[in-house]
Short mmCIF file of all heavy atoms in Angstrom, two decimals:
data_model
loop_
_atom_site.label_atom_id
_atom_site.label_comp_id
_atom_site.label_asym_id
_atom_site.label_seq_id
_atom_site.Cartn_x
_atom_site.Cartn_y
_atom_site.Cartn_z
N GLN B 403 42.37 5.22 101.13
CA GLN B 403 43.10 3.99 101.42
C GLN B 403 44.38 3.94 100.59
O GLN B 403 44.55 4.74 99.67
CB GLN B 403 42.22 2.77 101.12
CG GLN B 403 41.06 2.62 102.08
CD GLN B 403 41.51 2.33 103.50
OE1 GLN B 403 42.35 1.46 103.72
NE2 GLN B 403 40.98 3.07 104.46
N MET B 404 45.24 2.98 100.92
CA MET B 404 46.55 2.96 100.28
C MET B 404 46.89 1.54 99.86
O MET B 404 46.59 0.57 100.56
CB MET B 404 47.57 3.50 101.29
CG MET B 404 48.90 3.73 100.68
SD MET B 404 49.63 5.26 101.26
CE MET B 404 51.15 5.18 100.34
N ILE B 405 47.55 1.41 98.71
CA ILE B 405 48.12 0.12 98.29
C ILE B 405 49.61 0.37 98.06
O ILE B 405 49.99 1.38 97.49
CB ILE B 405 47.48 -0.39 96.98
CG1 ILE B 405 45.96 -0.35 97.07
CG2 ILE B 405 47.95 -1.81 96.67
CD1 ILE B 405 45.27 -0.68 95.75
N VAL B 419 44.36 -14.75 104.46
CA VAL B 419 43.80 -13.74 103.57
C VAL B 419 42.49 -13.21 104.15
O VAL B 419 42.22 -12.01 104.13
CB VAL B 419 43.58 -14.36 102.17
CG1 VAL B 419 42.72 -13.44 101.31
CG2 VAL B 419 44.92 -14.60 101.49
N ILE B 422 43.22 -10.74 106.82
CA ILE B 422 43.80 -9.51 106.28
C ILE B 422 42.71 -8.63 105.66
O ILE B 422 42.64 -7.43 105.94
CB ILE B 422 44.87 -9.85 105.22
CG1 ILE B 422 46.11 -10.47 105.91
CG2 ILE B 422 45.27 -8.62 104.43
CD1 ILE B 422 47.08 -11.11 104.95
N ILE B 423 41.85 -9.24 104.86
CA ILE B 423 40.79 -8.46 104.21
C ILE B 423 39.69 -8.11 105.22
O ILE B 423 39.05 -7.07 105.13
CB ILE B 423 40.19 -9.23 103.01
CG1 ILE B 423 41.29 -9.54 101.99
CG2 ILE B 423 39.08 -8.43 102.35
CD1 ILE B 423 40.81 -10.36 100.81
N GLY B 424 39.49 -8.98 106.21
CA GLY B 424 38.42 -8.78 107.17
C GLY B 424 38.68 -7.69 108.18
O GLY B 424 37.75 -7.10 108.72
N PRO B 426 39.79 -4.44 107.97
CA PRO B 426 39.10 -3.16 107.76
C PRO B 426 37.59 -3.30 107.85
O PRO B 426 36.91 -2.34 108.26
CB PRO B 426 39.54 -2.71 106.36
CG PRO B 426 40.23 -3.86 105.74
CD PRO B 426 40.67 -4.77 106.83
N LEU B 427 37.05 -4.48 107.52
CA LEU B 427 35.59 -4.67 107.62
C LEU B 427 35.13 -4.57 109.07
O LEU B 427 34.11 -3.97 109.38
CB LEU B 427 35.19 -6.03 107.04
CG LEU B 427 35.41 -6.19 105.53
CD1 LEU B 427 35.12 -7.62 105.11
CD2 LEU B 427 34.55 -5.22 104.74
N ARG B 441 31.25 -10.92 103.08
CA ARG B 441 31.79 -9.72 102.43
C ARG B 441 33.21 -10.01 101.89
O ARG B 441 33.58 -9.55 100.80
CB ARG B 441 31.82 -8.58 103.45
CG ARG B 441 32.26 -7.25 102.90
CD ARG B 441 31.12 -6.48 102.25
NE ARG B 441 31.63 -5.24 101.67
CZ ARG B 441 31.95 -5.10 100.40
NH1 ARG B 441 31.77 -6.10 99.54
NH2 ARG B 441 32.46 -3.96 99.94
N VAL B 442 34.00 -10.77 102.66
CA VAL B 442 35.35 -11.13 102.20
C VAL B 442 35.26 -11.92 100.90
O VAL B 442 36.02 -11.68 99.95
CB VAL B 442 36.09 -11.96 103.28
CG1 VAL B 442 37.36 -12.58 102.71
CG2 VAL B 442 36.43 -11.09 104.49
N TYR B 443 34.28 -12.84 100.82
CA TYR B 443 34.14 -13.64 99.60
C TYR B 443 33.76 -12.75 98.41
O TYR B 443 34.28 -12.93 97.31
CB TYR B 443 33.08 -14.74 99.78
CG TYR B 443 33.43 -15.74 100.87
CD1 TYR B 443 32.46 -16.41 101.59
CD2 TYR B 443 34.77 -15.98 101.18
CE1 TYR B 443 32.79 -17.31 102.59
CE2 TYR B 443 35.12 -16.88 102.18
CZ TYR B 443 34.12 -17.54 102.89
OH TYR B 443 34.46 -18.41 103.87
N GLU B 444 32.86 -11.78 98.67
CA GLU B 444 32.52 -10.84 97.61
C GLU B 444 33.74 -10.11 97.08
O GLU B 444 33.92 -9.95 95.88
CB GLU B 444 31.56 -9.78 98.16
CG GLU B 444 30.09 -10.14 98.12
CD GLU B 444 29.27 -9.05 98.82
OE1 GLU B 444 29.51 -7.85 98.55
OE2 GLU B 444 28.46 -9.41 99.67
N LEU B 445 34.58 -9.68 98.04
CA LEU B 445 35.77 -8.93 97.64
C LEU B 445 36.72 -9.82 96.86
O LEU B 445 37.33 -9.39 95.88
CB LEU B 445 36.45 -8.34 98.88
CG LEU B 445 35.74 -7.14 99.48
CD1 LEU B 445 36.21 -6.87 100.89
CD2 LEU B 445 35.97 -5.90 98.61
N LEU B 446 36.86 -11.09 97.30
CA LEU B 446 37.74 -12.01 96.58
C LEU B 446 37.25 -12.18 95.15
O LEU B 446 38.03 -12.24 94.21
CB LEU B 446 37.80 -13.37 97.29
CG LEU B 446 38.71 -13.45 98.51
CD1 LEU B 446 38.57 -14.79 99.20
CD2 LEU B 446 40.17 -13.22 98.12
N GLU B 447 35.94 -12.23 95.01
CA GLU B 447 35.37 -12.35 93.67
C GLU B 447 35.71 -11.11 92.85
O GLU B 447 36.08 -11.20 91.68
CB GLU B 447 33.85 -12.49 93.79
CG GLU B 447 33.23 -13.35 92.72
CD GLU B 447 31.83 -13.73 93.13
OE1 GLU B 447 31.67 -14.49 94.13
OE2 GLU B 447 30.89 -13.24 92.48
N ALA B 448 35.60 -9.94 93.49
CA ALA B 448 35.89 -8.70 92.79
C ALA B 448 37.32 -8.65 92.29
O ALA B 448 37.61 -8.10 91.22
CB ALA B 448 35.61 -7.51 93.71
N ILE B 449 38.26 -9.23 93.05
CA ILE B 449 39.66 -9.20 92.62
C ILE B 449 40.03 -10.47 91.85
O ILE B 449 41.19 -10.75 91.61
CB ILE B 449 40.62 -9.02 93.82
CG1 ILE B 449 40.42 -10.12 94.84
CG2 ILE B 449 40.44 -7.65 94.44
CD1 ILE B 449 41.53 -10.24 95.84
N GLU B 450 39.00 -11.22 91.47
CA GLU B 450 39.18 -12.37 90.59
C GLU B 450 40.06 -13.46 91.19
O GLU B 450 40.90 -14.04 90.52
CB GLU B 450 39.73 -11.91 89.23
CG GLU B 450 38.74 -11.02 88.49
CD GLU B 450 39.40 -10.16 87.41
OE1 GLU B 450 40.60 -10.37 87.15
OE2 GLU B 450 38.73 -9.32 86.84
N LEU B 451 39.87 -13.70 92.50
CA LEU B 451 40.53 -14.84 93.13
C LEU B 451 39.43 -15.77 93.63
O LEU B 451 38.38 -15.33 94.08
CB LEU B 451 41.40 -14.40 94.31
CG LEU B 451 42.70 -13.68 94.01
CD1 LEU B 451 43.45 -13.39 95.31
CD2 LEU B 451 43.59 -14.47 93.07
N GLN B 467 49.07 -12.28 93.01
CA GLN B 467 47.95 -12.60 93.92
C GLN B 467 48.04 -11.79 95.20
O GLN B 467 47.03 -11.32 95.73
CB GLN B 467 47.93 -14.09 94.22
CG GLN B 467 47.51 -14.93 93.02
CD GLN B 467 47.80 -16.41 93.20
OE1 GLN B 467 48.55 -16.80 94.09
NE2 GLN B 467 47.21 -17.23 92.35
N LYS B 468 49.28 -11.62 95.72
CA LYS B 468 49.45 -10.83 96.93
C LYS B 468 48.97 -9.41 96.70
O LYS B 468 48.27 -8.82 97.52
CB LYS B 468 50.93 -10.79 97.33
CG LYS B 468 51.40 -12.06 98.00
CD LYS B 468 52.87 -11.96 98.33
CE LYS B 468 53.44 -13.34 98.54
NZ LYS B 468 54.88 -13.38 98.51
N GLN B 469 49.36 -8.85 95.53
CA GLN B 469 48.96 -7.47 95.26
C GLN B 469 47.43 -7.39 95.13
O GLN B 469 46.81 -6.43 95.56
CB GLN B 469 49.67 -6.96 94.01
CG GLN B 469 49.69 -5.46 93.85
CD GLN B 469 50.30 -4.73 95.04
OE1 GLN B 469 49.67 -4.59 96.08
NE2 GLN B 469 51.54 -4.28 94.91
N ARG B 470 46.81 -8.44 94.59
CA ARG B 470 45.35 -8.45 94.50
C ARG B 470 44.71 -8.43 95.90
O ARG B 470 43.72 -7.73 96.13
CB ARG B 470 44.87 -9.69 93.76
CG ARG B 470 44.99 -9.55 92.26
CD ARG B 470 44.80 -10.87 91.53
NE ARG B 470 45.19 -10.71 90.13
CZ ARG B 470 44.35 -10.50 89.13
NH1 ARG B 470 43.05 -10.46 89.37
NH2 ARG B 470 44.77 -10.33 87.91
N VAL B 471 45.29 -9.19 96.82
CA VAL B 471 44.76 -9.20 98.19
C VAL B 471 44.89 -7.80 98.81
O VAL B 471 43.97 -7.32 99.48
CB VAL B 471 45.48 -10.26 99.06
CG1 VAL B 471 45.07 -10.13 100.51
CG2 VAL B 471 45.16 -11.66 98.54
N CYS B 472 45.99 -7.14 98.53
CA CYS B 472 46.17 -5.78 99.06
C CYS B 472 45.13 -4.84 98.48
O CYS B 472 44.63 -3.93 99.15
CB CYS B 472 47.57 -5.26 98.74
SG CYS B 472 48.84 -6.04 99.73
N ILE B 473 44.80 -5.05 97.20
CA ILE B 473 43.75 -4.23 96.58
C ILE B 473 42.42 -4.50 97.27
O ILE B 473 41.67 -3.57 97.60
CB ILE B 473 43.66 -4.54 95.06
CG1 ILE B 473 44.93 -4.05 94.36
CG2 ILE B 473 42.43 -3.88 94.46
CD1 ILE B 473 45.03 -4.48 92.91
N ALA B 474 42.14 -5.78 97.54
CA ALA B 474 40.88 -6.13 98.21
C ALA B 474 40.82 -5.49 99.60
O ALA B 474 39.77 -5.02 100.03
CB ALA B 474 40.76 -7.64 98.33
N ARG B 475 41.96 -5.48 100.28
CA ARG B 475 41.98 -4.88 101.62
C ARG B 475 41.65 -3.39 101.54
O ARG B 475 40.92 -2.86 102.38
CB ARG B 475 43.35 -5.08 102.27
CG ARG B 475 43.46 -4.42 103.63
CD ARG B 475 44.72 -4.77 104.33
NE ARG B 475 45.90 -4.37 103.54
CZ ARG B 475 47.14 -4.61 103.92
NH1 ARG B 475 47.38 -5.27 105.03
NH2 ARG B 475 48.15 -4.23 103.19
N ALA B 476 42.20 -2.71 100.52
CA ALA B 476 41.90 -1.29 100.36
C ALA B 476 40.42 -1.10 100.02
O ALA B 476 39.76 -0.22 100.56
CB ALA B 476 42.78 -0.69 99.27
N LEU B 477 39.89 -1.97 99.15
CA LEU B 477 38.49 -1.86 98.75
C LEU B 477 37.54 -2.14 99.90
O LEU B 477 36.43 -1.60 99.96
CB LEU B 477 38.18 -2.86 97.63
CG LEU B 477 38.71 -2.53 96.23
CD1 LEU B 477 38.33 -3.65 95.29
CD2 LEU B 477 38.15 -1.20 95.73
N ALA B 478 37.98 -2.99 100.83
CA ALA B 478 37.13 -3.38 101.94
C ALA B 478 36.63 -2.18 102.72
O ALA B 478 35.54 -2.18 103.27
CB ALA B 478 37.87 -4.34 102.86
N ALA B 479 37.44 -1.13 102.75
CA ALA B 479 37.04 0.08 103.48
C ALA B 479 36.06 0.92 102.69
O ALA B 479 35.60 1.94 103.17
CB ALA B 479 38.29 0.90 103.83
N ASP B 480 35.78 0.51 101.46
CA ASP B 480 34.87 1.24 100.58
C ASP B 480 35.28 2.71 100.44
O ASP B 480 34.50 3.62 100.71
CB ASP B 480 33.43 1.14 101.11
CG ASP B 480 32.43 1.41 99.99
OD1 ASP B 480 32.85 1.40 98.82
OD2 ASP B 480 31.25 1.64 100.29
N PRO B 481 36.52 2.93 100.03
CA PRO B 481 37.06 4.30 99.99
C PRO B 481 36.63 5.04 98.74
O PRO B 481 36.14 4.43 97.78
CB PRO B 481 38.57 4.06 99.96
CG PRO B 481 38.71 2.77 99.23
CD PRO B 481 37.50 1.94 99.55
N ILE B 484 41.94 5.89 96.37
CA ILE B 484 42.98 4.93 96.72
C ILE B 484 44.30 5.46 96.20
O ILE B 484 44.41 5.85 95.04
CB ILE B 484 42.70 3.53 96.11
CG1 ILE B 484 41.39 2.96 96.66
CG2 ILE B 484 43.86 2.58 96.41
CD1 ILE B 484 41.07 1.56 96.16
N LEU B 504 42.70 -4.94 86.26
CA LEU B 504 41.81 -5.12 87.41
C LEU B 504 41.47 -3.77 88.05
O LEU B 504 40.31 -3.49 88.35
CB LEU B 504 42.48 -6.04 88.43
CG LEU B 504 41.75 -6.19 89.76
CD1 LEU B 504 40.44 -6.94 89.56
CD2 LEU B 504 42.61 -6.91 90.78
N LEU B 505 42.50 -2.94 88.22
CA LEU B 505 42.28 -1.62 88.84
C LEU B 505 41.31 -0.81 88.00
O LEU B 505 40.42 -0.13 88.52
CB LEU B 505 43.61 -0.89 88.99
CG LEU B 505 44.51 -1.37 90.13
CD1 LEU B 505 45.88 -0.71 90.05
CD2 LEU B 505 43.89 -1.07 91.48
N LEU B 508 37.76 -2.16 88.46
CA LEU B 508 37.21 -1.79 89.76
C LEU B 508 36.82 -0.32 89.78
O LEU B 508 35.82 0.07 90.40
CB LEU B 508 38.23 -2.09 90.86
CG LEU B 508 38.53 -3.58 91.07
CD1 LEU B 508 39.72 -3.76 91.97
CD2 LEU B 508 37.31 -4.29 91.63
N ARG B 512 33.12 0.99 90.76
CA ARG B 512 32.94 1.63 92.06
C ARG B 512 33.15 3.13 92.07
O ARG B 512 33.07 3.77 93.12
CB ARG B 512 33.90 1.01 93.08
CG ARG B 512 33.52 -0.41 93.37
CD ARG B 512 34.69 -1.21 93.91
NE ARG B 512 34.38 -2.63 93.80
CZ ARG B 512 34.02 -3.38 94.82
NH1 ARG B 512 33.96 -2.88 96.01
NH2 ARG B 512 33.72 -4.64 94.64
#
Side-chain angles (χ1 to χ4, degrees):
Chain B
Q403 291 294 313
M404 190 138 180
I405 310 173
V419 167
I422 290 167
I423 301 177
L427 294 174
R441 184 84 183 97
V442 168
Y443 298 152
E444 273 175 46
L445 285 163
L446 281 174
E447 213 165 294
I449 57 164
E450 295 160 7
L451 287 183
Q467 290 166 345
K468 282 179 200 164
Q469 198 57 283
R470 280 168 191 261
V471 172
C472 287
I473 292 172
R475 176 172 59 183
L477 286 178
D480 201 14
I484 298 183
L504 173 68
L505 284 172
L508 294 169
R512 291 158 197 257

